[in-house]
Amino acid sequence: MRCPFCKSDESRVVDSRAFDDGLGIRRRRECTECGRRFTTTETSVLDVVKRSGVTEPFSRAKVVSGVRKACQGRPVGDDDLALLAQQVEDILRASGQAEIPAMEVGLAILGPLRELDEVAYLRFASVYRSFDTLEDFEAEIALLRAEGDPIGQEPDVAQGAARRTSGTGTT
Ligand SMILES: [Zn+2]
């Protein structure tokens, strides 16, 4: 590992520490040439296996670009998307697999996206899970409603309230 100060290739490790529950190692190094210290991190590369069989490193940027389209016109900012990509990576790393099928990356996106924005979630899910009939959408929306409504509340009342709130806008 080249010293970032003097570009020497010689350094020695003075400290090693695990981080992220052992998923990575952070090393403190001292350059044997100039004596300055710097830090390196080591993590296993998370590989994504595409349908074609080609393997490529997991990329948060790709998650963001994949989801951005579904979020068009929705109140979702770049920070939200960055956080979502981080959550997706955490989910995939926690699965303990070294190679993740591309399909599973999409599935890992669904949960955090649903938390973020239900409309964006429906758009993304419609492509991802190949909704091709109106019934597919209705079933998914019914599921969202069922899970979103507090127990014991009349669905009609909740919907009416939501409509009133969005109708008046901010006051
Ligand atoms: Zn140096």
Side-chain angles (χ1 to χ4, degrees), residues 2-11 30-38:
R2 187 167 289 177
C3 169
F5 300 104
C6 74
K7 314 293 182 215
S8 163
D9 285 327
E10 305 295 320
S11 65
E30 187 179 279
C31 174
T32 48
E33 198 65 39
C34 71
R36 285 201 256 192
R37 291 187 172 189
F38 56 98

Side-chain angles (χ1 to χ4, degrees), residues 37-171:
R37 291 187 172 189
F38 56 98
T39 304
T40 58
T41 59
E42 196 177 297
T43 53
S44 62
V45 173
L46 199 56
D47 280 326
V48 176
V49 187
K50 301 208 279 187
R51 235 166 288 175
S52 59
V54 174
T55 300
E56 62 178 25
F58 170 82
S59 150
R60 285 191 211 170
K62 280 204 172 158
V63 170
V64 170
S65 65
V67 170
R68 194 184 291 278
K69 203 190 235 174
C71 293
Q72 261 170 20
R74 301 299 304 163
V76 175
D78 286 345
D79 288 349
D80 297 322
L81 290 176
L83 182 65
L84 179 131
Q86 167 76 63
Q87 289 171 318
V88 170
E89 181 170 351
D90 289 347
I91 290 168
L92 295 175
R93 283 197 182 275
S95 77
Q97 296 166 276
E99 294 193 329
I100 314 276
M103 189 74 187
E104 282 187 33
V105 178
L107 291 176
I109 289 171
L110 291 173
L113 185 57
R114 197 166 90 172
E115 296 279 300
L116 189 59
D117 188 279
E118 290 183 346
V119 171
Y121 163 78
L122 276 176
R123 287 178 184 157
F124 187 82
S126 71
V127 175
Y128 214 80
R129 293 176 25 197
S130 337
F131 288 4
D132 40 33
T133 65
L134 202 53
E135 285 72 29
D136 289 335
F137 280 96
E138 284 172 347
E140 193 64 38
I141 290 167
L143 202 67
L144 281 173
R145 289 224 170 104
E147 290 177 9
D149 288 331
I151 296 159
Q153 195 174 353
E154 287 289 321
D156 288 348
V157 176
Q159 280 168 40
R163 219 169 282 133
R164 275 195 300 280
T165 310
S166 62
T168 50
T170 47
T171 46

